[in-house]
Amino acid sequence: MGGGRLAGKAAVVTGAARGIGRATAELFAAEGARLVVTDVDAAALDGLRAALAARGAEVTAVAGDVAAVDDARSMIAAAVRAYGRIDVLVANAGILPLSTVDRTEPEDWDRVMAVDGRGMFLTCKYAIEEMAARPGGGAVVCVSSISGVAGQAGQAAYGPAKFVATGLTKHLAVECAPQGIRVNAVAPGTIRTDRVRDLADEPGGAEYLDAIVRLHPLGRLGEPAEVARAILFLASDEASFVTGAVLPVDGGYLAQ
């Protein structure tokens, strides 16, 4: 799709079918990236692929589960196969259950940690291995959360899983710096994704959302495109001396 801040770069975006992942894929395509988009929802993913291709983007879709070793490896391999390399990984795939500790069962914990923790580790692992095997380094952007920086009630599994994302970012940034691989994260506040919009239809959901809005000093929820723009910055050469950062995109939530 011509020039742009990611012109010619091969990028993998996980959890790309909707929300922050979709907004990121759309923005990356507009900025010239050659894309691999992934998600567990094959139908929605194919719709995204078709929409991006219709705009002239180079795009490959890989349906799969980031928590499964073979699937995670195939997502990265698809970029190498299609474009000869991987320059950028956006490790976005995750699930967002809301539950207090007394209502969180061990299997709930395992499911969240599998996707949000293990899945992020696996995709980072295989992307970094490929980046390190070729000159030029690369950029990894993990999608953490305000819940991965500060505690929140009602997120007994999700919050700790996002602390994994934050910790993984910082440790990999130090480990991979000698290879020219930058690893950063964004920490979104509450963003108007499909999951968040659906809360309004759940018992107590509207009241919960009203309370959440009041916790953000800017007085509103964020939009997926606003997070995508922060991810673009961290993925681009404009952030060439930035690594190990966790960038809040939170309307001031963490500044309090």
Side-chain angles (χ1 to χ4, degrees), residues 117-143:
R118 174 185 167 93
M120 187 167 288
F121 163 74
L122 289 175
T123 49
C124 286
K125 170 182 169 60
Y126 297 127
I128 287 168
E129 287 177 357
E130 290 293 344
M131 290 174 181
R134 294 168 177 77
V140 175
V141 183
C142 297
V143 177

Side-chain angles (χ1 to χ4, degrees), residues 151-174:
Q152 289 186 288
Q155 298 187 8
Y158 175 76
K162 286 304 182 180
F163 267 88
V164 171
T166 299
L168 190 66
T169 295
K170 291 185 174 293
H171 286 278
L172 293 182
V174 174

Side-chain angles (χ1 to χ4, degrees), residues 63-170:
D65 180 358
V66 293
V69 169
D70 289 343
D71 287 2
R73 187 184 280 120
S74 72
M75 294 169 186
I76 306 305
V80 177
R81 185 168 57 251
Y83 311 123
R85 59 186 299 113
I86 174 173
D87 300 295
V88 176
L89 167 68
V90 179
N92 166 70
I95 55 176
L96 174 54
L98 299 175
S99 181
T100 56
V101 68
D102 56 311
R103 297 183 179 179
T104 301
E105 299 299 329
E107 54 269 26
D108 300 325
W109 173 274
D110 291 344
R111 179 168 172 262
V112 177
M113 287 295 170
V115 179
D116 295 33
R118 174 185 167 93
M120 187 167 288
F121 163 74
L122 289 175
T123 49
C124 286
K125 170 182 169 60
Y126 297 127
I128 287 168
E129 287 177 357
E130 290 293 344
M131 290 174 181
R134 294 168 177 77
V140 175
V141 183
C142 297
V143 177
S144 184
S145 168
I146 54 174
S147 304
V149 180
Q152 289 186 288
Q155 298 187 8
Y158 175 76
K162 286 304 182 180
F163 267 88
V164 171
T166 299
L168 190 66
T169 295
K170 291 185 174 293

